């Protein structure tokens, strides 16, 4: 569970495909605080940390996640909002967000 409050940002440093999965290598000053298998919201999408070499870390997106999110358009140097999941001791400054995506919408105007 997440609060929806952005904690920091990460920069996309590398994108690669392994079959239909998209592997993102991201850079953030917070990487030294991460641990393997940790759930982190990336632009609101719950992704699991698969590798860490601070300041870099990797996450894997399966085809369903790629299909239902704007990560299908992600590029090198893009900035991604990140938020670590809540703990039982977290203050709830935002709202409950699961990070699991059901559908993709289209913004018509701003």
């Amino acid at each position: 569970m997440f609060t929806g409050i952005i904690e920091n940002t990460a920069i996309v440093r590398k994108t690669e495909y392994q079959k239909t999965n998209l592997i993102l290598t991201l850079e953030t000053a917070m990487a030294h605080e991460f641990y393997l298998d940790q759930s982190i919201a990336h632009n609101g999408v719950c992704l699991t940390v698969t590798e860490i070499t601070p300041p870099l870390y990797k996450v894997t997106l399966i085809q369903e996640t790629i299909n239902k999110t704007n990560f299908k358009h992600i590029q090198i140097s893009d900035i991604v909002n990140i938020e670590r999941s809540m703990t039982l001791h977290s203050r709830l400054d935002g709202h409950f967000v699961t990070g699991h995506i059901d559908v993709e919408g289209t913004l018509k105007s701003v």
Side-chain angles (χ1 to χ4, degrees), residues 44-64:
V45 179
C46 180
L47 299 173
T48 302
V49 175
T50 58
E51 189 177 315
I52 309 165
T53 309
L56 303 174
Y57 69 101
K58 292 184 179 184
V59 294
T60 301
L61 292 84
I62 63 171
Q63 190 64 53
E64 184 74 4

Side-chain angles (χ1 to χ4, degrees), residues 8-52:
N8 209 322
T9 59
I11 301 169
V12 178
R13 293 298 184 201
K14 184 177 180 182
T15 62
E16 60 187 304
Y17 276 89
Q18 287 182 348
K19 296 186 181 180
T20 60
N21 292 341
L22 174 60
I23 313 298
L24 294 181
T25 302
L26 300 115
E27 180 179 347
T28 184
M30 293 178 60
H32 70 281
E33 298 177 34
F34 296 169
Y35 56 87
L36 291 179
D37 298 326
Q38 182 176 11
S39 294
I40 298 177
H42 294 75
N43 287 352
V45 179
C46 180
L47 299 173
T48 302
V49 175
T50 58
E51 189 177 315
I52 309 165

